Amino acid sequence: DTGVSQDPRHKITKRGQNVTFRCDPISEHNRLYWYRQTLGQGPEFLTYFQNEAQLEKSRLLSDRFSAERPKGSFSTLEIQRTEQGDSAMYLCASSHRDRALYEQYFGPGTRLTVT
Amino acid sequence: AQTVTQSQPEMSVQEAETVTLSCTYDTSESDYYLFWYKQPPSRQMILVIRQEAYKQQNATENRFSVNFQKAAKSFSLKISDSQLGDAAMYFCAYRMDTGNQFYFGTGTSLTVIP
């Protein structure tokens, strides 16, 4: 069990550019979640995958955001035409199907700064 | 809508002492789960303790225990014998029994004074 990993850990981009983040969940976990965390706030839910299916999306997830989880393994979160308001920590979490109700394992996050 | 409120943005405790972090939540559900997560500086969030709403007994994990008051919708975390490694941001979180989303509070920053 190597834990949830995220890449990159830090990303600085200019407004208007596209960025893509990657999350590798714990290998036997079939559920994957993306959250956004801004300074002084708790994580806010963005989207949820069960295997490769994206089953739930928050209203926070504008059309500029897209997430995928091909083959039900790693996931990517892409932000198109970044805005300064997108600056935040993007967290990924995963859970096992038998313990999904009460256990989520978080990755270290990707900190995005939009200049 | 589910909301989680942590009214203490910052708390401090002397090493070896006990501290209690507060959390209240709002829900119309009867079945749900409550959690406390710890987020050390520049490190990933880890689960500290969880409570199933259908259980009357308060959860305990070593030095960490909760006071779950379902009627009052209150879920406080008590840390006994505080250690320097307990210094972190603590988040209270809620999840419906039938949902996939976790709802987090705004966090309490805990400082442990040597």
Side-chain angles (χ1 to χ4, degrees):
Chain A
D1 182 350
T2 57
V4 179
S5 61
Q6 293 186 245
D7 183 70
R9 295 292 304 275
H10 303 274
K11 178 70 176 179
I12 300 174
T13 191
K14 292 185 177 180
R15 189 177 54 186
Q17 297 294 305
N18 298 345
V19 295
T20 300
F21 311 140
R22 177 180 171 125
C23 170
D24 286 272
I26 294 171
S27 58
E28 66 268 26
H29 286 186
N30 70 327
R31 300 184 182 212
L32 188 146
Y33 312 79
W34 284 99
Y35 292 85
R36 180 171 66 188
Q37 186 178 20
T38 54
L39 202 61
Q41 300 295 319
E44 295 175 296
F45 172 82
L46 292 179
T47 191
Y48 155 70
F49 288 87
Q50 184 168 317
N51 300 311
E52 67 276 8
Q54 187 175 19
L55 297 184
E56 201 165 336
K57 289 171 61 173
S58 165
R59 286 173 300 205
L60 293 174
L61 212 64
S62 77
D63 292 344
R64 297 184 298 105
F65 287 69
S66 62
E68 294 183 340
R69 193 182 182 199
K71 302 179 183 177
S73 55
F74 71 92
S75 176
T76 58
L77 178 67
E78 180 183 17
I79 309 175
Q80 296 182 328
R81 306 181 303 280
T82 52
E83 302 172 355
Q84 286 189 322
D86 297 331
S87 295
M89 177 76 86
Y90 290 84
L91 297 171
C92 176
S94 71
S95 64
H96 189 280
R97 63 179 178 275
D98 294 335
R99 301 183 293 275
L101 280 175
Y102 48 81
E103 272 187 358
Q104 281 194 351
Y105 293 83
F106 282 83
T110 294
R111 182 167 295 283
L112 173 66
T113 301
V114 181
T115 61
Chain B
Q2 286 76 25
T3 57
V4 178
T5 302
Q6 293 179 249
S7 58
Q8 306 154 315
E10 298 177 346
M11 292 282 285
S12 62
V13 62
Q14 291 285 143
E15 195 175 3
E17 297 295 307
T18 295
V19 65
T20 299
L21 309 184
S22 300
C23 173
T24 58
Y25 58 94
D26 184 28
T27 184
S28 57
E29 304 291 325
S30 58
D31 292 326
Y32 50 87
Y33 296 81
L34 296 164
F35 309 84
W36 280 98
Y37 277 87
K38 170 185 177 182
Q39 189 175 39
S42 301
R43 296 184 63 185
Q44 57 211 78
M45 199 172 309
I46 57 174
L47 178 65
V48 174
I49 197 166
R50 69 170 185 264
Q51 175 80 43
E52 292 88 339
Y54 63 84
K55 289 187 178 179
Q56 293 186 336
Q57 186 172 6
N58 289 324
T60 299
E61 289 286 344
N62 301 314
R63 299 182 295 107
F64 298 87
S65 62
V66 299
N67 184 3
F68 172 48
Q69 301 289 326
K70 191 172 185 180
K73 296 179 183 176
S74 170
F75 183 61
S76 61
L77 174 70
K78 185 170 82 172
I79 306 174
S80 304
D81 185 27
S82 296
Q83 301 175 359
L84 295 178
D86 294 333
M89 191 72 124
Y90 286 82
F91 291 97
C92 178
Y94 162 99
R95 177 186 179 145
M96 281 193 301
D97 184 38
T98 55
N100 296 301
Q101 293 190 33
F102 278 52
Y103 296 88
F104 287 83
T106 52
T108 296
S109 178
L110 179 66
T111 300
V112 180
I113 303 165

